Amino acid sequence: PAVAPPAAPQPPPQTQPTRAQTPREFRYLVRMDTTEPIAYDPTDVEAKWQRTWAERGSNQVNIEQAERPFYALMMFPYPSAEGLHVGNLFAFTGSDISARFHRQAGYNVFQPLGYDAFGIHSENYALKIGAHPMELTPKNVANFQRQLERSGLMVDWRHKVDTSQPDYYRWTQWVFLQMYKQGLAYKKAAAVNWCPSCKTVLANEQVQAGACERCGSTVEQRFLEQWFFRTSEYAERLLRNLDWLDWSEVTRSAQRNWIGRSEGAEISFVVEQHDAEVRVFTTRPDTICGATYLVLAPEHPLVDLVTTSDRIDAVRAYQERTKRQDLVSRKTVLEKTGEFTGAFATNPASGARVPIWIADYVLMDYGTGAIMAVPGHDERDFEFAQTLAGAFESACGMTQAQVIVRVVASGEEDASTPLDAAFAGSGADARLVNSGAFDGLSVAEGKAAITASLEAKERAKAVVNYRLHDWCVSRQRYWGPPIPIVYCDSCGTVPVPEEQLPVVLPFIADFKPDDSGVSPLARHAEWFNVDCPACGKPARRETDVSDTFLDSAWYFLRYPSATRDNVPFDLDITARWLPVNSYIGGNEHAVLHLLYSRFVTMALKDGGHLDFEEPFTRFRAHGLIIRDGAKMSKSKGNVINPDEYVVEWGADSFRTYLMFLGPYQEGGDFRSQGISGVRRFLDRLWGSVRDARRDGDPDPDVMRKLHQVIRKVGEDIPALAYNTAIAAMMEYMNVLRRSERTAHVAEVEPLVQLVAPFAPHLAEECWATLGYAKSVFDSGWPVWDAALAEESTIEIAVQVNGKTRGRVFVPADAIQDDVLAAALGEPTIAKFVTGEPKRVIFVKGRLLNVIA
RNA sequence: GCACUCGUGGCGAAAUUGGUAGACGCGCAAGCCUUAGGAGCUUGUAGGGUAACCUGUCCCGGUUCGAGUCCGGGCGAGUGCACCA
């Protein structure tokens, strides 16, 4: 599948900006006392331009007819009660700069924003303060809206979405129904992660080291009827497409890890005295002759069948013990436990008699729920064998077998036995032994040969497994979109007809979750009692709501069509704008939101609703902002409130500083002091624009620097190298200031255009001051002129024997002999050259290296 | 344990295909201007040395005329995944 990367923005033909005919209307913002520094008042300037943009509809794009559409997406925030976090602003500003740049470069840029307002966050907070989420959320949204509008983002607010509003979640429910229709949504009783504090089921992705990622409570295992999406069916596609997606490597690798593809084999071991076989999954079929026992997951269905009568009590007790065990101990306790079933099976390769155990280090939900244990070559099996050595001796007298040896440097085998650790090597230094006909093979050869040999006997087949599980989308909570399903005694499970959507979330005062395992909605008969859409008889609504991540898994499809109320997304509009050209966001969503969004897009494509399967052609993960070397947290008291800084320094300075403090994709350290340097730069910019002369000619030396900086900024912004773009502009400002004469208009005008994506309000103010009526964002992107940027005299570094000894200034087109002559003419360089140079290396425009 | 990203002044950080290490900014120092200044302006600022010079990009090797950059091996940090066979 070839999707062309987004074309590098080509500046449109430069049009001559028209001078304003009207007199300047803005207030003079500088205190005219000459002893005062040049400084502008961002409070007035920013308010003025935000008003002007709103009045002019400057941020609006023609959705139906845009000729050069560019969809710039940023991750929408969850509207917390605390308000906008500096991390939000860092993310948004970086996206906004890219969007504004593309606009100046001639694209019709659509940059929407909205609110991920449903979810446990909001609900838990409402519970905590004794409020109702349906009342609290709009307040939080309003507060966010106020803060966002002050930060100067070029957002087309006509396309705002709010996932908690019926006109949005109506279509979230529609997405659910498409999944259901396509057989991708199903219900099953499953062991699920249950958070006893949040009183809800969590997706695997929301469990961190056995604890709830939201509240930190120990997660328990429960068996509940749940709705799932078949994400695992898409595992291979989700993995494969990562190869060609233009995404940050960190994000791709996180997804690869999460999908967790493993190639191996399923191998059957026949159980003695039963007409049954244990199927195991292994990635190391080459070690099969070292498989000295089998282990089933405690809940494996074969356990009841094979367990011998003398072992039945112990096995049952073990099953009970592990069933009740919560996931924390399952995931973190390293001590291996297990129980012998009394049964034996036959190793299909070696013919050896192997005992069958159960142990909770084998997971029922991966592979076949059973393994062949190779203590000689697997650390976990080794540990199990060590821990239970006594039991082994008495139960079945098993031994460890060595079937892979390390080949030491001399080519000899390192046959140290007995093993004191598992040797898990599989590279060039490993070779098969004690494996009959397969001795001497490498691991890779052994895998292939043994699998083929067992396949011939119908005892094995090559398989691929994924760690990716199906997505559990049910939540036994209140603050989410009700799942649009009705249960009818006659008709069974009935999807709500699309024309009856939305299934509106009712306002209920009592929305607190309880321990019952059912949603609070299940306590409201007046809501869940409904007539069956199919037969009209009394029926019952599904009372679970769906996972918040379903809301955000398709919101990018909604934005362009957000003004349409009859379809989730308009086909023409979608064809024009999607897939998203540029998505910028935090990598904390690498495996949750971004994977689900890809899955939903693929599923909708398969359902015939879309004609592309990857939603985000280009994704860039931004870094994290820390404060004075430490992560920001309430307990440390080092959380930044953007409002304070915006009031003190202005949104433009704050934005620009956030972009300047480090490489955007790596994040950086926020130091309160640092912002002053950026503000100084903007003040100076304002000063030179205000005082710019129109008489005389621009200085050619300054113009040369100007064209160099135009080039630099134009290259840096698409690469998200915002910090160096700003540095280059500062450098140019220093050139201007050190120039003998007051800056000429021609020397500052393009700089205003360059700075506009970073400091949009000030740029507009400057642009108006320069006499333009139209917005600077419709003025184009300055064109870099190679001829004007070229230096006539250049500096060449001179090395002698690879050591830098000085520099010479020569004409730009100087050839090697000229440079060499110039270099040898410098006594400080010549003194290191004794006799005739043996060799001379010349890199044009850069360096001369004389080997003496 | 596995994967990814990354180790450069007092600090945040720059550095095209390998080609003048430390741009830009903070901080600091000196000076100017001020009744005053957490303002503004000028200059300096990797370390050592009066100087010529010498030493310097986490450590050890390698490739190269030349390595912060490439290769091999360590050490350290951050993030993600993790009893996934």
Side-chain angles (χ1 to χ4, degrees), chain A residues 71-321:
Chain A
Y71 189 170
L73 184 65
M74 50 181 123
M75 288 181 175
F76 65 166
Y78 139 71
S80 72
E82 288 87 20
L84 198 61
H85 186 266
V86 68
N88 295 130
L89 216 46
F90 179 75
F92 299 157
T93 303
S95 183
D96 191 53
I97 288 165
S98 168
R100 288 181 182 274
F101 169 75
H102 281 90
R103 165 145 172 199
Q104 285 180 264
Y107 287 94
N108 304 113
V109 176
F110 175 52
Q111 180 167 248
L113 193 52
Y115 298 99
D116 191 15
F118 262 146
I120 289 177
H121 262 121
S122 306
E123 187 176 333
N124 283 356
Y125 185 76
L127 284 167
K128 190 173 150 194
I129 66 164
H132 194 284
M134 213 172 263
E135 292 164 347
L136 193 60
T137 301
K139 286 183 197 164
N140 292 345
V141 164
N143 185 42
F144 259 70
Q145 187 73 28
R146 177 190 63 80
Q147 289 186 297
L148 286 170
E149 285 175 4
R150 273 179 68 175
S151 60
L153 301 173
M154 189 181 73
V155 167
D156 188 345
W157 287 111
R158 295 175 307 170
H159 290 259
K160 176 169 69 179
V161 302
D162 177 337
T163 58
S164 68
Q165 294 301 310
D167 62 358
Y168 182 86
Y169 69 71
R170 168 185 181 183
W171 303 115
T172 306
Q173 292 169 339
W174 177 89
V175 170
F176 184 97
L177 290 179
Q178 306 318 306
M179 298 291 165
Y180 184 81
K181 282 183 190 167
Q182 290 169 230
L184 294 174
Y186 67 96
K187 202 172 193 189
K188 74 169 182 193
V192 291
N193 309 301
W194 174 263
C195 173
S197 170
C198 299
K199 299 194 189 341
T200 189
V201 164
L202 302 174
N204 289 332
E205 290 84 339
Q206 290 160 331
V207 180
Q208 301 293 324
C212 173
E213 75 167 359
R214 295 184 191 287
C215 68
S217 309
T218 297
V219 171
E220 298 170 355
Q221 205 175 358
R222 277 207 179 184
F223 286 85
L224 292 173
E225 284 268 312
Q226 303 287 336
W227 282 100
F228 287 87
F229 286 168
R230 296 188 196 277
T231 37
S232 60
E233 274 189 11
Y234 283 71
E236 187 63 29
R237 239 160 115 189
L238 290 166
L239 184 68
R240 283 275 173 81
N241 286 3
L242 290 173
D243 291 342
W244 58 266
L245 281 176
D246 178 15
W247 281 28
S248 292
E249 182 53 37
V250 276
T251 313
R252 295 200 296 175
S253 110
Q255 291 212 351
R256 286 198 184 99
N257 279 333
W258 187 260
I259 294 168
R261 184 180 199 272
S262 289
E263 282 184 19
E266 274 183 22
I267 300 174
S268 296
F269 287 64
V270 174
V271 183
E272 286 182 7
Q273 296 167 357
H274 287 284
D275 182 20
E277 46 188 50
V278 175
R279 298 179 62 75
V280 304
F281 173 70
T282 179
T283 54
R284 292 293 302 273
D286 54 297
T287 63
I288 188 167
C289 292
T292 51
Y293 60 97
L294 301 181
V295 188
L296 310 182
E299 65 269 39
H300 194 287
L302 275 180
V303 174
D304 281 350
L305 177 70
V306 304
T307 302
T308 56
S309 53
D310 59 316
R311 300 296 309 159
I312 196 99
D313 290 345
V315 165
R316 288 271 159 76
Y318 185 76
Q319 286 178 316
E320 277 309 307
R321 206 158 70 232

Side-chain angles (χ1 to χ4, degrees), chain A residues 356-377:
Chain A
I356 303 173
W357 285 68
I358 60 172
D360 65 352
Y361 80 94
V362 174
L363 309 177
M364 193 59 223
D365 55 8
Y366 182 76
T368 59
I371 63 158
M372 63 175 206
V374 184
H377 304 290

Side-chain angles (χ1 to χ4, degrees), chain A residues 830-847:
Chain A
K831 71 179 177 184
F832 292 99
V833 183
T834 51
E836 272 304 293
K838 293 196 188 89
R839 193 179 156 194
V840 176
I841 289 134
F842 179 60
V843 183
K844 193 166 182 296
R846 290 208 168 267
L847 156 144

